[in-house]
Every structure is written in structure tokens, then in C-alpha cells.
Amino acid sequence: MSNQHLVAVVGAGPAGIYGTRKLCEAGHRVVLMNRDIKPGGLAEYGIFVDKEKMKTGLRKQFKRILADPKAFYLGHVEIGNDQPLSLQDLQKIGFGAIVVTAGAQGTKKLGIAGEESLGVYHAKDVVYHFNSLPPFAERHFEIGRRVAIIGMGNVMVDVANWLLNHKKIDQVVVVARRGPIEKAYDDSEFEVIEQYLDNADMKQEIARIAPQLTAVGQNVDEITQKFVKQGEPAEGRRLTFRYLCSPNKVIANEQGRVIGLDAEENEMILQDGKTVAKGTGKNRRIDVDCVIYAIGDQVDASLGLPFSRGAFVTNPEKLPGDPNPAAYQPYDPSTKQILDGIFVAGWSRNASVGLVGVAKQDAERGMKVVNSYLGAKEGLSAGEMEERIEALLETLKQKSAEFVTKEDVELLEGAEQEEARARKTWDFKYTSDAKMLEVIAARRAR
Ligand SMILES: Cc1cc2nc3c(=O)[nH]c(=O)nc-3n(C[C@H](O)[C@H](O)[C@H](O)COP(=O)(O)OP(=O)(O)OC[C@H]3O[C@@H](n4cnc5c(N)ncnc54)[C@H](O)[C@@H]3O)c2cc1C
């Protein structure tokens, strides 16, 4: 009896790739299907464009993992209810397990009036744009000169970095529900935009909210010392913060284009030792011509797993075992059943949480659960696995879905590296799927 299985992994970001490694190490064969032509997910299309060392290091690791003959990569293959292949199709083909590591592709907004105006964007779409992911790479963004970024985590810093250092706009206004102490960005990340901080404005802003900070026991002098630096904003480009503000309306002109943001001023209260924002009913207007939401992502419901409040529903039970298997099992609340043989990991399990290392760790813990599930099932012979892979490829061909293999990705990367050398840059990416497929076809024909 074989104890080897054929596993489908949906999504080749860090979670899917590190997960594939664990599955291959356990002796299983993996078909790794990825929406994008190139693997890497947000490591390729999220991490900031100039983090050369980190990006090239991750690319090398991913390439090594995918070189395992037990790993079969299929790029440009999106799984979902409206796609050529659904999760049910994969179940019918007969994979021993299906692992969903598709990240968090849904966008979150605040649900306020005016959100559909021209000039309102989600940070992930903007990040995908400046990282050259099709189709966002070629999409036009009406950025303007004064941009409000809502949220104050590391994604805000990346977007502000692009706007101030690359687009060279006049001003970024960071709008946050709570105060300076509650920032979610890392100081080391912030350094790339610190030179634009309008220190006089920051001093005034902290003085404005001082009574609310004091009310929750925060030390205004210490906060001023930490957050107000010396000097004028570099090159006249300004970075300002509006704390204790919850946007409640995007204001647009007659052409439907953003001209401002209405926000309710907040006070802070302490709840279970944590600061919580509470509206005061008093409004303020922030004049901007673009609004970017950097408030996290949600998973994509069209993937076809039970979904609630922006996340896939997982088994609420606490099952014995470390890691807790239930945390990785999708669960249908209407039938109170888990979806047998299907698992989630990485940002598909816990949207927008943590760096690459966290996604890697989550996938590795998740694959322990998958491997132990597979250990209790009868495996497949090599021939049976081949038949199933053939059936998968046949279904894709019947539906005219154009997929690429890891060999194709290598051809594409070779062409991109040549182009980068010619342009004397460290990196070059084609910006449309059509162009990438054309380049691959041309290289295949050589
Ligand atoms: C703006 C930004 C900057 C970041 N910067 C850093 C940084 O500097 N350092 C760091 O360590 N971490 C950084 N991170 C975090 C890091 O990128 C994530 O922790 C990690 O990428 C999450 O991995 P994942 O595999 O779960 O999801 P993702 O990376 O999102 O990968 C998901 C993959 O699934 C594929 N996919 C999606 N839907 C489908 C589908 N339906 N069918 C098939 N495939 C699908 C996608 O094509 C993608 O390849 C950053 C994140 C963001 C958003």
C-alpha cells in the first residue's frame, strides 16, 4: 500500500511554496496552482520595489523549492467558482488533500458615503500596481497631489514611500482612529519617509489631542519627544498625521472626483487595558484629492470556501494536537461539518497578519496537520498520480485555460533579467499576462 499522495496547493505565495516543501519532504507529490504567472505572491508583488536583497533572496529560495521533481507548478491558473477550475473540480479529480494558500485577495473598505468616487483606492491594488502585477500594473490610478492614507501600519509606509519618493506628490495625510502610540508600523520601516515629516504640524497635532491622550494615561511629553523630530520636510513634500479621526464620508466634486474627506473626531477610552476610539460627534474636513485605504485585506469569497466577515470559516473546536488541527480546517457553519480533505494556511487563514516568516511558519504548522491527515489515508501509485495530473491538464485544455510550468517561468525570468541588464536596473518585469505569455512562447520556440 502506498503512503504517497497527490496534493493540490492553491496559491504560490510564501505560504504555498513553503507548504509545498513540507509536503514534498513527506514524500507527497504536489500540484501547485497559482493565479499569477510567476510564483511568490506578495513576496514578488507586495514587498517594496527597492528591497533588492530580500526579494532576490526569497526568489532564490522559492526557485530551489520548486525545483523538486515532486513539485509541479502551474501558473496562470486561478481556482474559484467563476474560474475554469473550482475546488469541487479538484476534489473530483481525486487529490488526497487540497490546501488553500491563496492569500487575502479581497479588499476592505469602510462602507462610508462617497467611497465609489474617482480617486478612492485600496492599498493592495496600489501596491500591486507599483510592483507591476497584471492587471493592476497597467491600470490608471488618479493619484493627485494630496493623498489621505487611512490606517497606520507598514502597508501605509510602503504606499507613502511610493507616493513621496517615487511619485513625488505634495502631501500625504495619514488618517488614524487612535493616537501616535497606537501606530502599527515599525520604526525601521518608517525611516524611508521620515525626512518628509512636517514636524511643526506634528507638534500641533499632538497638542490638539493632548487632553485625550492624558485621559487614557499617556504621557504627552514623552509622545512629543518621540514623534516630533527636528527640521523642515525634505524637498517641500509633506507627511502629516491626523490622529483620533474616523472617516465618515468621501467628498467628491460634480465630476465625481475626490476633493476631501469628512472625519469624526474621536476620544479614547480604556477597555480591558486597551485604548479604544469613541466618536465625539464633532466633524472635521481634510482636503485631499485621493484616498487610499490601508486597513488590511479580506479573503476572496469567490474561492468557494465558507466565508464570514472577511475570513474563511474554520473549525471552532479545539482539537487535540500541536498545532491545533481545527485552526487549519475550513468549516461549514450551516452543516456544522468540516470540509473533509481541504485545508487553509497563511494569509488565507489569517488575513494581513505578519511578515513572510509568519506565513512560512503558519504553512509549516498547517502542513503538519495535512501530513498527519494523509498518513491515515491510503495513498496512490505513481501511475494513479500521473492519471490525475493528466486529467487536470485535460480539463484546463478543454476550458482553453493557458497555463505555464516552472520551465516557462524560468524562460520568462531569463528574458526579464536580460531586459534588466540592458536597462541597467536590478529588476525588470513585464506588466501584462499577454506580454509574458508572448515572451514565453517566443523563448520556447527558440
Ligand atoms: C504591501 C506589503 C508589503 C509587505 N512587505 C513585507 C516585507 O517587507 N517583508 C516581509 O517579510 N513581509 C512583507 N509583507 C508580508 C508578506 O508579503 C506576507 O506575509 C506573505 O506574502 C503572505 O503569504 P501568503 O502566501 O499567505 O499570501 P500571498 O503572498 O498573498 O500569496 C497568495 C498567492 O495565491 C495566489 N492566488 C490568489 N488567489 C488565487 C486563486 N483563486 N487561485 C490560485 N491562486 C491564487 C496569488 O497569485 C499569490 O501568488 C508585505 C505585505 C504587503 C501587503
Side-chain angles (χ1 to χ4, degrees), residues 10-15 33-36 41-43 46-47 51 54 77-79 101-103 105 127 155 158 303 346-347 354-356 359:
V10 177
M33 285 157 275
N34 195 39
R35 177 197 65 194
D36 309 331
L42 286 165
I47 293 179
K51 290 189 175 172
M54 186 185 291
V77 174
E78 185 165 355
I79 307 298
T101 47
Q105 306 301 330
V127 166
V155 174
D158 277 7
L303 239 151
W347 279 25
L355 298 175
V356 167

Side-chain angles (χ1 to χ4, degrees), residues 246-266:
S246 292
N248 53 16
K249 188 178 176 191
V250 176
I251 306 155
N253 63 14
E254 279 173 6
Q255 289 75 44
R257 163 92 222 218
V258 175
I259 52 167
L261 194 62
D262 260 347
E264 182 178 5
E265 292 185 7
N266 294 326

Side-chain angles (χ1 to χ4, degrees), residues 38 44-45 49 52 55-56 59 130-133 138 409 411-432 435-436 439 443:
K38 292 203 281 187
E44 181 66 38
Y45 294 112
V49 283
E52 178 180 350
K55 285 183 111 132
T56 47
R59 278 181 192 163
F130 65 68
N131 266 293
S132 303
L133 175 68
E138 296 191 337
V409 172
L411 293 176
L412 173 64
E413 285 171 351
E416 289 185 333
Q417 280 154 14
E418 275 175 27
E419 193 62 37
R421 278 194 294 276
R423 292 168 185 243
K424 298 195 172 25
T425 67
W426 77 272
D427 200 21
F428 171 83
K429 285 178 187 166
Y430 291 107
T431 52
S432 77
K435 182 69 191 170
M436 284 190 242
V439 169
R443 295 255 156 166

Side-chain angles (χ1 to χ4, degrees), residues 144-278:
R145 304 300 310 167
R146 296 186 72 189
V147 179
I149 306 180
I150 300 170
M152 52 174 179
N154 286 329
V155 174
M156 172 281 284
V157 175
D158 277 7
V159 174
N161 183 3
W162 179 66
L163 292 171
L164 291 164
N165 281 314
H166 295 250
K167 297 293 283 180
K168 302 191 188 300
I169 67 158
D170 298 335
Q171 187 180 3
V172 168
V173 188
V174 178
V175 181
R177 267 180 312 168
R178 296 183 294 162
I181 294 282
E182 285 79 17
K183 72 178 177 66
Y185 61 81
D186 296 314
D187 291 338
S188 55
E189 297 287 323
F190 191 74
E191 281 171 12
V192 290
I193 50 171
E194 196 171 81
Q195 78 224 47
Y196 302 110
L197 190 63
D198 185 333
N199 288 300
D201 185 86
M202 180 60 114
K203 197 169 171 191
Q204 258 178 27
E205 181 63 4
I206 294 175
R208 179 185 74 83
I209 59 170
Q212 288 87 341
L213 302 181
T214 310
V216 289
Q218 296 182 356
N219 185 320
V220 174
D221 288 340
E222 274 176 23
I223 291 175
T224 308
Q225 220 169 38
K226 177 167 164 51
F227 288 90
V228 180
K229 311 274 165 61
Q230 297 298 316
E232 294 290 313
E235 295 162 47
R237 278 174 245 150
R238 298 166 64 221
L239 171 64
T240 57
F241 283 73
R242 290 295 169 261
Y243 294 114
L244 298 184
C245 280
S246 292
N248 53 16
K249 188 178 176 191
V250 176
I251 306 155
N253 63 14
E254 279 173 6
Q255 289 75 44
R257 163 92 222 218
V258 175
I259 52 167
L261 194 62
D262 260 347
E264 182 178 5
E265 292 185 7
N266 294 326
E267 56 185 10
M268 285 200 289
I269 53 170
L270 280 176
Q271 238 173 44
D272 303 327
K274 282 191 190 147
T275 50
V276 176
K278 186 166 170 269

Side-chain angles (χ1 to χ4, degrees), residues 10-81:
V10 177
I17 298 176
Y18 290 117
T20 293
R21 175 161 74 184
K22 286 289 157 200
L23 293 165
C24 291
E25 279 170 6
H28 306 307
R29 282 187 73 180
V30 175
V31 181
L32 177 53
M33 285 157 275
N34 195 39
R35 177 197 65 194
D36 309 331
I37 288 182
K38 292 203 281 187
L42 286 165
E44 181 66 38
Y45 294 112
I47 293 179
F48 202 73
V49 283
D50 60 8
K51 290 189 175 172
E52 178 180 350
K53 204 168 155 209
M54 186 185 291
K55 285 183 111 132
T56 47
L58 286 167
R59 278 181 192 163
K60 270 189 200 146
Q61 276 189 40
F62 294 163
K63 203 170 168 173
R64 264 201 305 273
I65 294 170
L66 296 181
D68 188 321
K70 290 198 285 304
F72 183 50
Y73 177 78
L74 287 176
H76 204 228
V77 174
E78 185 165 355
I79 307 298
N81 292 338

